[in-house]
Amino acid sequence: MVTLLLDQRQLEIVLTRVERLLAAQRGDLRIDRGSIAKLQLTDEPATWLRGVRAPGIHVPRLLSLGTWRSAQGNDFVAIRHGRPGVVIDLDGDARFSRLILSTRHGHALAKALRLEAGEAEG
């Protein structure tokens, strides 16, 4: 669904033109690496949805894309239902408290974040 790019400074969530339109986002999302607090792998990211969609799109059992607002904060969601993904908790990001994304590369992302964090400590 979305393309995830990770470097030493940031996680970039690259959206297609259609995804930007449906999610009501002007451009790709860039998240500072320092604001990533926790990453969890999940077989069904849709179970992590909380709050109400505003703005974005939700097609039951198919697609959820956009911002979900709740008392716990705003979540950016880009999932295709029934596909594996990741839930990334953020600390200190001005726009979102959590990212919920469908990706086949969740294990690789988790490993890259863990390895680079270990290198920074050593």
Side-chain angles (χ1 to χ4, degrees), residues 13-15 20 24-30 76 95:
I13 302 164
V14 181
L15 303 168
R20 274 189 237 133
Q25 291 290 319
R26 292 182 182 218
D28 298 333
L29 295 163
R30 289 174 180 82
F76 178 76
R95 296 165 297 164

Side-chain angles (χ1 to χ4, degrees), residues 90-110:
L90 303 174
D91 186 22
D93 186 80
R95 296 165 297 164
F96 301 108
S97 62
R98 196 165 68 164
L99 308 171
I100 306 171
L101 310 167
S102 288
T103 180
R104 295 181 304 240
H105 307 291
H107 289 285
L109 180 62

Side-chain angles (χ1 to χ4, degrees), residues 39-61:
L39 182 143
Q40 298 175 73
L41 301 174
T42 179
D43 288 331
E44 182 50 69
T47 61
W48 291 83
L49 292 176
R50 63 184 179 188
V52 295
R53 173 184 45 86
I57 186 170
H58 174 71
V59 180
R61 296 189 311 256

Side-chain angles (χ1 to χ4, degrees), residues 33-85:
R33 286 279 308 264
S35 66
I36 297 175
K38 183 168 75 168
L39 182 143
Q40 298 175 73
L41 301 174
T42 179
D43 288 331
E44 182 50 69
T47 61
W48 291 83
L49 292 176
R50 63 184 179 188
V52 295
R53 173 184 45 86
I57 186 170
H58 174 71
V59 180
R61 296 189 311 256
L62 184 63
L63 171 76
S64 297
L65 186 63
T67 301
W68 264 247
R69 300 179 192 279
S70 72
Q72 293 82 19
N74 295 340
D75 298 345
F76 178 76
V77 176
I79 59 175
R80 288 193 181 165
H81 298 257
R83 294 191 181 181

